[in-house]
Amino acid sequence: MSDFTVRPALISDAEEIQACLRTAFAHFLDSYTREAFLDTVPTLENVRERFHSMSLFVAEDGERKVIGTVAWYLKSAEEGYLRGMAVLPDWQGKGVAQQLLQAAEADIRSHGCSRVGLDSTDPLERAIRFYEKQGYHRTGNIDDFFGMPLHEFMKDLT
């Protein structure tokens, strides 16, 4: 079950991307405010809209089913920002997130960025540990995310 590939997402992947986000975050529904959950798990239409302003990647299994996803956008000329990282529960801990992250970071670097950032919420403890192991550190910036603390993380790409 460890056979998977990462590739740039296509608009035709939107339904599977949305299903992946919904499934991966379902466990956290009760830990999020309603508005925060709706922003974290976008509608199908909102996933399609992301293709206009973000670069998206998917991981797919041997049967070409989407098992993970990540998106990023240019926050500034120097900084890419990750959004919507999710891996299906059965595939977590198998290197999928790491390969998705590496693909996104390589793409961000190819656009001339020297750093990459992301935001995370307190309930996502496992994800936060993963990001820290990948070289991300808390910046100390904490925003309000629909009534939840949203912690900013940053990684130097140089």
Side-chain angles (χ1 to χ4, degrees):
M1 189 166 114
S2 60
D3 189 30
F4 66 91
T5 55
V6 173
R7 63 169 172 80
L10 305 171
I11 192 84
S12 57
D13 295 317
E15 286 187 35
E16 285 192 71
I17 290 170
Q18 200 275 338
C20 180
L21 287 162
R22 191 177 61 242
T23 302
F25 284 96
H27 175 72
F28 300 101
L29 178 61
D30 293 337
S31 306
Y32 273 60
T33 64
R34 182 177 180 277
E35 296 83 2
F37 192 80
L38 291 173
D39 190 74
T40 302
V41 181
T43 64
L44 177 57
E45 188 56 35
N46 288 343
V47 170
R48 289 185 177 129
E49 288 173 9
R50 287 183 176 187
F51 281 88
H52 299 293
S53 58
M54 299 182 189
S55 297
L56 289 82
F57 288 88
V58 293
E60 59 184 15
D61 66 14
E63 297 173 2
R64 302 185 72 183
K65 178 183 179 299
V66 171
I67 58 167
T69 186
V70 67
W72 75 271
Y73 63 92
L74 277 177
K75 190 169 184 179
S76 70
E78 300 84 32
E79 184 179 334
Y81 225 72
L82 298 177
R83 187 86 211 269
M85 168 78 103
V87 175
L88 292 178
D90 288 348
W91 284 87
Q92 291 174 8
K94 295 177 171 51
V96 177
Q98 190 166 12
Q99 286 197 29
L100 282 165
L101 190 62
Q102 288 170 351
E105 288 176 355
D107 199 29
I108 291 167
R109 200 178 283 112
S110 77
H111 282 77
C113 295
S114 59
R115 65 184 181 272
V116 59
L118 62 90
D119 295 317
S120 192
T121 58
D122 291 333
L124 302 181
E125 295 172 13
R126 183 175 179 181
I128 289 170
R129 285 193 307 273
F130 166 77
Y131 291 127
E132 289 174 338
K133 286 180 185 170
Q134 305 305 311
Y136 289 79
H137 63 274
R138 291 177 192 260
T139 65
N141 292 341
I142 303 173
D143 287 325
D144 179 76
F145 182 58
F146 304 102
M148 298 178 67
L150 189 69
H151 303 274
E152 183 182 57
F153 291 78
M154 196 68 60
K155 179 179 180 178
D156 190 351
L157 293 177
T158 56

